[in-house]
């Protein structure tokens, strides 16, 4: 059995890395009491809270945290008609926080994620590890069997090409979870009591040409490098699918990272995922996606972007056209999603004019 860490008595991190260059984005429908546990590690940073659901509800944030909070009324006011691209009643709304941030880096975490313990019993500062991942290069073009060669105590193994050892910039750091694994509904139903107790002390680069299931509950990325591709799609209220928001973003991001020569890392850090969602509710949200992904994944595996696509925005617009052309036959939803992808980029460029292609 694994338990969350006790952070009482851990002093506030006054030397926090990238304190002025990173925003923490949290989607929520409830009071953020969970931040008390994270206070030693997260209080020095600025929070962007995206309130889902009823905008008239007041969300309580523990004292001492620097934050801005946006509800649906704010999203509608800021984006106007383009607010249609931001999901409602789904954690996909978090990507609005990515759009309004002005920082170089983003860390996003769910409100049911607590501080994990490493095998020695020490509390894991997940954000610090994410930052280390992002500040070190990735090695997507040739797999290093000793995991991340840039970590202290590791290196490239014999036979690794010297011409590739410089690596590439890391765009995404994908963290993992102790306790409740990130399973789909069918797996939850057949393994209702399964808990992840394995803490694997490893970080690795996901190879070029390999897709992965990205989970948004413990994720960090370089907003300058890949931000416009971190769109979590149309999910939740009024949509035929849910719980594929982070997956969709991950597939798009990986195709674009591969095209632009950027890296994606996965592994450390761990968080403690405290709450299992209802598998029957999840199945209702996921069931179409479970069928559709058998076509969606081959689509992304075969997607080829043009040489003319040299910015993230250009890549994303090209992808949106491919989605409309090749996935709309599966369901009209994909026609709508492709249009929303374009709207997202338009809204991103309006709020971030310096990044406009």
């Amino acid at each position: 059995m694994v338990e969350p860490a006790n952070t009482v008595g851990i002093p506030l991190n006054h030397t926090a890395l990238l304190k002025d260059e990173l925003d923490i984005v949290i989607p929520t429908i409830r009071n953020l009491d969970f931040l008390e546990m994270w206070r030693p590690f997260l209080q020095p940073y600025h929070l962007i809270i995206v309130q889902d659901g009823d905008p008239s509800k007041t969300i309580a944030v523990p004292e001492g945290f620097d934050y801005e909070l946006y509800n649906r009324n704010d999203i509608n006011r800021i984006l106007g008609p383009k607010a249609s691209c931001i999901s409602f009643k789904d954690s996909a709304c978090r990507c609005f926080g990515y759009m309004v941030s002005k920082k170089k880096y983003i860390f996003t975490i769910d409100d049911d994620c607590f501080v994990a313990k490493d095998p020695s019993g020490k509390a894991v500062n997940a954000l610090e590890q994410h930052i280390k991942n992002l500040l070190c290069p990735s090695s997507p073009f040739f797999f290093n069997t000793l995991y991340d060669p840039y970590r202290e105590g590791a290196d490239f193994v014999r036979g690794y090409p010297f011409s590739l050892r410089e690596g590439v910039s890391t765009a995404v750091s994908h963290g993992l979870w102790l306790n409740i694994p990130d399973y789909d509904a069918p797996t939850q139903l057949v393994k209702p009591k399964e808990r992840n107790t394995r803490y694997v002390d490893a970080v690795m680069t996901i190879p070029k040409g390999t897709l992965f299931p990205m989970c948004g509950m413990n994720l960090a990325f370089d907003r300058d490098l890949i931000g416009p591709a971190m769109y979590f799609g149309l999910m939740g209220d009024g949509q035929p699918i849910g719980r594929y928001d982070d997956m969709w973003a991950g597939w798009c991001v990986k195709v674009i990272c591969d095209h632009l020569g950027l890296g994606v890392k996965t592994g450390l850090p761990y968080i403690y995922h405290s709450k299992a969602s209802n598998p029957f509710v999840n199945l209702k949200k996921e069931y179409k996606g479970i069928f559709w992904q058998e076509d969606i994944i081959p689509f992304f595996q075969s997607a080829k972007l043009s040489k003319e696509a040299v910015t993230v925005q250009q890549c994303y617009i090209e992808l949106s056209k491919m989605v409309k052309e090749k996935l709309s036959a599966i369901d009209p939803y994909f026609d709508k999603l492709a249009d929303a992808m374009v709207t997202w980029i338009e809204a991103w460029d309006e709020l971030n004019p310096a990044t406009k292609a």
Side-chain angles (χ1 to χ4, degrees):
M1 181 178 175
V2 290
E3 296 179 343
N6 182 354
T7 59
V8 174
I10 297 178
L12 188 66
N13 184 6
H14 291 291
T15 58
L17 294 169
L18 304 179
K19 183 171 71 73
D20 300 320
E21 298 178 65
L22 184 145
D23 278 334
I24 298 170
V25 175
I26 305 170
T28 194
I29 57 170
R30 59 182 63 87
N31 294 337
L32 296 181
D33 301 333
F34 90 113
L35 285 173
E36 283 296 351
M37 174 179 277
W38 286 99
R39 186 181 292 277
F41 306 134
L42 303 189
Q43 187 176 329
Y45 296 88
H46 178 69
L47 311 182
I48 297 177
I49 300 162
V50 184
Q51 178 180 344
D52 198 15
D54 182 1
S56 67
K57 182 180 177 181
T58 300
I59 300 290
V61 181
E63 202 172 321
F65 283 89
D66 172 44
Y67 70 94
E68 53 193 298
L69 187 149
Y70 298 92
N71 61 32
R72 192 69 205 187
N73 293 339
D74 298 316
I75 294 170
N76 291 338
R77 173 178 51 83
I78 292 167
L79 295 184
K82 291 184 175 66
S84 61
C85 72
I86 304 298
S87 298
F88 184 56
K89 294 186 178 177
D90 193 280
S91 65
C93 67
R94 78 176 78 220
C95 61
F96 177 77
Y98 310 159
M99 183 186 283
V100 296
S101 170
K102 301 303 176 189
K103 305 288 179 62
K104 178 173 172 56
Y105 299 100
I106 296 287
F107 170 49
T108 185
I109 186 172
D110 284 4
D111 58 19
D112 62 350
C113 294
F114 299 165
V115 178
K117 290 189 288 191
D118 68 16
S120 73
K122 182 182 176 184
V124 174
N125 183 345
L127 178 51
E128 184 177 67
Q129 179 64 51
H130 274 302
I131 290 171
K132 288 178 180 178
N133 292 348
L134 289 171
L135 294 182
C136 285
S138 291
S139 52
F141 305 123
F142 201 90
F143 188 76
N144 192 56
T145 52
L146 202 55
Y147 308 116
D148 191 345
Y150 305 103
R151 277 187 79 187
E152 188 177 344
D155 212 323
F156 293 97
V157 298
R158 182 170 56 89
Y160 200 101
F162 281 87
S163 59
L164 296 177
R165 294 190 182 195
E166 186 178 345
V168 301
S169 297
T170 301
V172 180
S173 172
H174 178 257
L176 300 174
W177 345 268
L178 292 174
N179 196 40
I180 307 294
D182 187 29
Y183 285 162
D184 53 38
T187 309
Q188 279 184 293
L189 286 166
V190 298
K191 295 182 172 181
K193 296 182 179 179
E194 183 155 296
R195 300 293 181 265
N196 181 33
T197 61
R198 293 186 304 155
Y199 185 103
V200 181
D201 186 13
V203 179
M204 64 182 73
T205 298
I206 300 173
K208 181 179 180 180
T210 301
L211 296 175
F212 75 111
M214 189 175 84
C215 173
M217 76 170 94
N218 174 24
L219 179 73
F221 60 93
D222 186 322
R223 187 175 174 276
D224 288 354
L225 288 180
I226 201 64
M230 275 289 178
Y231 176 47
F232 277 43
L234 287 178
M235 303 283 154
D237 194 50
Q239 308 303 334
I241 185 175
R243 283 175 55 84
Y244 272 85
D245 51 333
D246 41 9
M247 301 293 160
W248 181 262
W251 297 327
C252 293
V253 160
K254 189 57 167 62
V255 168
I256 293 173
C257 282
D258 286 352
H259 177 74
L260 296 179
L262 300 171
V264 177
K265 290 188 174 184
T266 188
L268 299 179
Y270 283 87
I271 50 84
Y272 179 95
H273 187 205
S274 66
K275 186 180 68 180
S277 48
N278 186 311
F280 296 100
V281 173
N282 290 347
L283 186 60
K284 188 176 179 181
K285 294 177 180 179
E286 291 176 2
Y287 79 95
K288 286 191 176 180
I290 290 169
F291 289 106
W292 290 349
Q293 71 184 16
E294 300 305 317
D295 292 309
I296 295 171
I297 291 171
F299 160 77
F300 279 107
Q301 287 173 326
S302 63
K304 294 288 184 288
L305 299 169
S306 73
K307 291 180 181 178
E308 289 70 39
V310 295
T311 68
V312 175
Q313 285 95 326
Q314 289 168 346
C315 291
Y316 204 73
I317 293 298
E318 281 197 9
L319 261 183
S320 73
K321 291 175 181 176
M322 294 181 203
V323 168
K324 185 178 281 283
E325 179 187 340
K326 298 186 177 177
L327 294 183
S328 293
I330 298 173
D331 191 274
Y333 164 76
F334 290 98
D335 199 57
K336 187 177 177 183
L337 177 56
D339 291 339
M341 292 169 71
V342 175
T343 302
W344 160 264
I345 292 296
E346 291 172 350
W348 181 283
D349 283 347
E350 281 183 14
L351 293 186
N352 301 277
T355 65
K356 191 167 184 177

